[in-house]
């Protein structure tokens, strides 16, 4: 291995370690237990990159991404939190590796400290999200991608690495969802509850 290759590999390892730490230190709401929105969104994006649904460094809030997010939520989500993908899609920017591209006329909104609180507001203001280029390249590499999935699983869903691998290979929701002990609630494509269980 040449000295240039050694330097490049060393830089890659340092960068991968940097993103691993970012994934471990996601800022999440803890008011009602750990809110899993951000790690579930990252798992959803990683799956779409792996499946080549996302082929450019542009993460659009599509029905396919919403479906994937809700699929992971049905296995790994929390009863105490609403599975609204727009929240992590907007707030992930606090991690400094996730960036937002504004729709025309909404640049000031995105660059301000104003918080977008609803799915409609996020769709109206944000054209797409994009990652640091290094991170996007890591997600396209099987070994690096697996390392980052391992980090997410160990930090946010301990003991569930194999389950996460299984989830990534199916399009089916868990019915009833794991987190619903007392009945099943159907979710529409936006994550809204359709059927309340009887008590």
């Amino acid at each position: 291995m040449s000295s240039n290759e050694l330097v490049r590999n060393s830089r890659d390892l340092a960068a991968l370690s940097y993103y691993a730490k970012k994934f471990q230190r996601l800022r999440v709401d803890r008011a009602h237990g750990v809110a899993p929105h951000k790690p579930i969104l990252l798992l959803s994006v990683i799956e779409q990159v792996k499946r080549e649904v996302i082929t450019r460094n542009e993460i659009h809030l599509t029905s396919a991404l919403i479906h994937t997010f809700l699929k992971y939520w049905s296995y790994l989500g929390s009863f105490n939190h609403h599975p609204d993908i727009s929240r992590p899609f907007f707030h992930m920017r606090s991690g400094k590796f996730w960036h937002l591209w504004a729709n025309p006329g909404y640049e000031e909104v995105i660059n301000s400290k104003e918080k977008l609180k609803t799915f409609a507001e996020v769709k109206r203001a944000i054209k797409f999200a994009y990652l640091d280029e290094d991170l996007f390249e890591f997600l396209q590499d099987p070994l690096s991608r697996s390392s980052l999935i391992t980090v997410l699983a160990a930090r946010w869903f301990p003991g569930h690495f194999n389950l996460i691998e299984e989830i990534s290979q199916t399009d089916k929701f868990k019915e009833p969802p794991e987190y619903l002990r007392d009945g099943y609630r159907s979710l529409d494509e936006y994550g809204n509850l359709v059927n309340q269980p009887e008590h």
Side-chain angles (χ1 to χ4, degrees), residues 3-134:
S3 59
N4 285 341
E5 288 174 323
L6 284 170
V7 170
R8 187 165 58 249
N9 286 343
S10 177
R11 286 176 181 167
D12 285 350
L13 285 173
L16 188 61
S17 176
Y18 169 80
Y19 291 115
K21 289 177 182 176
K22 286 289 187 182
F23 282 15
Q24 290 172 325
R25 298 171 182 172
L26 296 171
R27 294 175 60 185
V28 301
D29 179 24
R30 298 175 184 272
H32 304 287
V34 174
H37 299 78
K38 288 181 180 178
I40 286 179
L41 177 56
L42 286 172
L43 288 172
S44 303
V45 169
I46 290 170
E47 179 186 312
Q48 291 213 322
V49 172
K50 179 181 178 181
R51 293 190 178 201
E52 298 184 348
V53 176
I54 295 175
T55 56
R56 300 172 56 186
N57 192 4
E58 296 181 5
I59 303 162
H60 294 265
L61 200 49
T62 62
S63 58
L65 182 61
I66 294 167
H67 176 92
T68 304
F69 177 85
L70 293 176
K71 178 190 68 172
Y72 277 92
W73 191 279
S74 75
Y75 291 86
L76 303 169
S78 161
F79 181 84
N80 296 321
H81 300 93
H82 183 61
D84 178 3
I85 193 174
S86 64
R87 295 179 188 180
F89 197 87
F90 175 73
H91 289 290
M92 192 90 77
R93 66 179 183 168
S94 66
K96 307 299 183 185
F97 60 83
W98 178 282
H99 314 282
L100 303 176
W101 189 279
N103 278 317
Y106 286 90
E107 292 82 3
E108 289 187 13
V109 173
I110 297 301
N111 293 326
S112 72
K113 293 184 178 181
E114 182 179 344
K115 293 182 179 180
L116 304 180
K117 298 179 180 179
T118 69
F119 184 91
E121 288 176 344
V122 169
K123 283 286 284 185
R124 187 163 50 245
I126 301 170
K127 186 172 184 180
F128 58 82
Y130 61 99
L131 305 170
D132 286 354
E133 198 58 43
D134 283 349

Side-chain angles (χ1 to χ4, degrees), residues 149-162:
I149 292 172
T150 301
V151 168
L152 285 171
R155 174 64 182 88
W156 302 104
F157 311 106
H160 287 82
F161 177 81
N162 289 337

